[in-house]
Amino acid sequence: MPPSFDLESFLPYRLNRAAELISLSFAREYKQRYQMTRPEWRTLAALGSAGRMTATEVGAHSNMHKTKVSRAVRELEQRRWLKRTEDDADRRVEHLELTAAGLKAYREIADLARTYQASLEQVLGAGAIERIEAGLADVERALLAKT
Amino acid sequence: MPPSFDLESFLPYRLNRAAELISLSFAREYKQRYQMTRPEWRTLAALGSAGRMTATEVGAHSNMHKTKVSRAVRELEQRRWLKRTEDDADRRVEHLELTAAGLKAYREIADLARTYQASLEQVLGAGAIERIEAGLADVERALLAKT
DNA sequence: TCGAATTGGTTGCAATTGTAACCGTTGATT
DNA sequence: AATCAACGGTTACAATTGCAACCAATTCGA
């Protein structure tokens, strides 16, 4: 029999558990107040934080399936929080951008996010989050290199 | 305007992205070979690694919704990888346990998992995974304390 | 320059998931 | 004991999701 295996120290498992926990925890902050789903918030955040982008870029950036992005974009557009403009060079591409209303919503929720993270950092101690994120970046790099 | 917000350093976002990435990456190792879904693997792993448990305990342990657990258990049972035995004191409770076949499957997949993590550690350097997991443990503690 | 392959994006459909309501059992309150 | 809340677990139903097939536009290659 091979050396023992402890699920508790298996990284995919641990990452998933932590991610689901924190995701739910933060979702409670905006789901009710802004009637927004997670893909929508992610899209809003991507656009609000990095500016004008295409749907494909949003997906690549936040690792969301393109149909998820497509639907989130449709939702946000209907809410008039986002507008599309077609690229004049390549007519397949559409550039996405937040409207004034979208930007306003983004700022409010970003504010929640900042507060949320600050309170977490309060508990964890200074630098703790940065250290975790540096570790995550390494993991992502390793995985993406893995083909 | 409040101080800037960068999605890229927002922990829920970063955790989710990394978790989805690694989860997919490892799922490729067993989905095909063992025709198993993620909840099934999680349940199998929980039982294989911690032994006899109830469904509620599996859920609490791996942070899965109880309907997810219920369905995974049904699947595993049909495959004869798991058996239920009722508690004689409390007839609501059922204890879950892997069969010999289930244990065998568990060991094989655990082997994949060990190899997977070893190759990751190879890239990341010694101790890197432990450090990340320690950080995650802190985060989970903080979140669970948060009511 | 024509056809095949690729790309950005959407959609139909089937599978996965969460919510809420439920069943039978147990524990607490009276 | 009788009632009622709580609990372990399942299930019906609705919402969310992913896969695959698709459309239109573009690029590649012979």
Side-chain angles (χ1 to χ4, degrees):
Chain A
M1 202 189 310
S4 83
F5 170 71
D6 181 17
L7 185 57
E8 205 52 42
S9 62
F10 184 48
L11 191 58
Y13 172 76
R14 290 298 305 281
L15 269 176
N16 261 288
R17 201 178 61 186
E20 266 156 45
L21 214 55
I22 199 169
S23 226
L24 276 175
S25 158
F26 180 63
R28 274 198 290 275
E29 308 270 327
Y30 65 82
K31 275 245 167 69
Q32 299 277 14
R33 243 177 291 198
Y34 292 89
Q35 322 256 63
M36 211 170 8
T37 67
R38 204 143 63 81
E40 280 160 36
W41 152 241
R42 281 209 196 179
T43 303
L44 185 78
L47 291 172
S49 130
R52 185 192 185 76
M53 272 199 283
T54 71
T56 303
E57 286 166 345
V58 171
H61 191 270
S62 55
N63 203 47
M64 278 197 290
H65 196 274
K66 63 180 182 168
T67 62
K68 236 184 202 171
V69 177
S70 173
R71 284 152 184 158
V73 165
R74 193 214 293 141
E75 260 328 293
L76 292 175
E77 189 186 28
Q78 280 172 2
R79 222 181 267 209
R80 314 258 182 260
W81 279 4
L82 170 156
K83 66 174 184 300
R84 324 181 187 218
T85 61
E86 50 185 28
D87 187 291
D88 10 69
D90 186 340
R91 294 192 356 249
R92 289 169 305 183
V93 176
E94 39 189 43
H95 299 279
L96 307 173
E97 205 169 0
L98 297 187
T99 62
L103 209 53
K104 178 163 175 292
Y106 163 71
R107 292 225 184 83
E108 288 175 21
I109 308 181
D111 220 29
L112 285 182
R114 226 176 289 108
T115 305
Y116 181 86
Q117 182 140 325
S119 89
L120 207 55
E121 185 135 38
Q122 189 83 11
V123 178
L124 294 177
I129 292 180
E130 277 92 334
R131 281 193 294 278
I132 294 171
E133 288 179 351
L136 295 180
D138 291 341
V139 170
E140 289 190 340
R141 240 193 316 283
L143 290 176
L144 293 174
K146 220 179 185 189
T147 317
Chain B
M1 204 189 308
S4 84
F5 170 71
D6 181 17
L7 186 56
E8 205 52 41
S9 61
F10 184 47
L11 192 58
Y13 172 77
R14 291 299 306 280
L15 269 175
N16 260 288
R17 202 178 61 186
E20 265 157 45
L21 214 55
I22 200 170
S23 226
L24 276 174
S25 159
F26 179 64
R28 274 199 291 275
E29 308 270 326
Y30 65 82
K31 275 247 167 70
Q32 299 277 13
R33 243 177 291 199
Y34 293 89
Q35 322 256 64
M36 211 172 9
T37 68
R38 205 144 61 82
E40 280 160 36
W41 151 242
R42 281 209 196 179
T43 303
L44 185 78
L47 290 173
S49 132
R52 184 193 187 76
M53 272 199 284
T54 70
T56 302
E57 285 166 343
V58 171
H61 191 271
S62 55
N63 203 48
M64 277 197 289
H65 195 274
K66 63 180 183 169
T67 62
K68 238 184 199 169
V69 177
S70 174
R71 283 154 185 156
V73 166
R74 193 214 293 142
E75 258 331 291
L76 292 175
E77 188 186 30
Q78 278 172 3
R79 222 181 269 206
R80 314 257 182 262
W81 280 3
L82 170 157
K83 66 176 185 296
R84 323 183 187 217
T85 60
E86 50 184 28
D87 187 291
D88 11 67
D90 185 341
R91 297 197 346 256
R92 289 169 304 182
V93 176
E94 40 189 43
H95 299 279
L96 307 172
E97 206 168 359
L98 297 187
T99 62
L103 209 52
K104 179 161 174 292
Y106 163 70
R107 290 224 186 83
E108 288 175 22
I109 307 181
D111 219 29
L112 286 183
R114 227 177 289 108
T115 305
Y116 181 86
Q117 181 141 323
S119 90
L120 206 55
E121 185 135 37
Q122 189 83 10
V123 179
L124 294 177
I129 292 180
E130 278 93 335
R131 281 193 294 279
I132 295 171
E133 288 180 351
L136 294 180
D138 291 341
V139 170
E140 289 190 342
R141 241 193 317 283
L143 289 176
L144 293 174
K146 221 180 181 188
T147 317

